[in-house]
Amino acid sequence: MSDERAHRSDDIHLPADASEDERRQAGDRLRERIYVTFTALALLMAMNSHGEALDSPTVLWTLVISVVGVLLAGLASDLVSHMIVHNTLPSAAEFRHMLAVSSRALGVIVVPLIAVGLAVFDVIPDRTGLVIAITALIISLAVIARIAVARTGLSGWRQLAVLGALVALGVLVVFLEALVH
């Protein structure tokens, strides 16, 4: 894929003539973004449930450390699985793709970081920053799920059923992840 093409297409709106490799790479980036979104959402929801003991600097650092940890785990997973499947280290281009997958997933937490950061500097209340962050993550997941379902070509009621199943699965994931926090 040319660098120009890589920059003009995003993960959700691929051009109709995208190659199988371009689609696979976009899928990798989307999958990592979704993992990061679920992790951040579960973490923030668990912290929100702690009542008045909320401390925005702690929330901010916990969010950053957790997301960086998830991204590094994903990178390590990509490296190990590549070596097992291909019996070699990734090429420079493959490694750049792995790094791009990890680094672009950080975009998911921009709005949550801004919201919690505003609370750290007392621009908004701590709880408000947390609620904005959680809401932004939920909206992000909803938009991605809606776009994915719309692309299936299913009839309206089937799209609604699949979207409902995705929402239920998402709620279950967040619930299970929140249990461990």
Side-chain angles (χ1 to χ4, degrees), residues 11 55 81 83 110 128 138 151 159 166 168 173 178:
D11 302 331
D55 172 29
S81 63
M83 290 186 288
V110 169
T128 302
I138 290 170
R151 288 185 172 194
Q159 285 185 19
L166 287 173
V173 168

Side-chain angles (χ1 to χ4, degrees), residues 9 15 31 43 50 57 60 65 70 76 89 94 109 119 130 138 148 152 171 175 179:
S9 67
R31 185 178 57 248
L43 175 76
H50 289 289
L60 183 68
I65 290 166
V70 165
L89 291 171
E94 291 166 330
I109 63 164
L130 199 52
I138 290 170
T152 63
V171 168
F175 173 76
L179 277 178

Side-chain angles (χ1 to χ4, degrees), residues 12 15 17 28-29 33-35 39 42-43 84 87 89 92 106 113 117 120 130 140 153 158 176:
I12 295 175
D17 64 339
D28 291 345
R29 290 187 299 269
R33 282 185 186 180
I34 292 167
Y35 288 154
T39 298
L43 175 76
I84 289 172
N87 298 323
L89 291 171
L106 286 171
L113 286 176
V120 167
L130 199 52
S140 174
R158 287 186 174 160
L176 291 173

Side-chain angles (χ1 to χ4, degrees), residues 36 118 137 160 164:
V36 167
L118 290 172
L137 292 168
L160 189 59

Side-chain angles (χ1 to χ4, degrees), residues 7-18:
H7 293 297
R8 76 182 162 128
S9 67
D10 62 29
D11 302 331
I12 295 175
H13 301 98
L14 286 169
D17 64 339

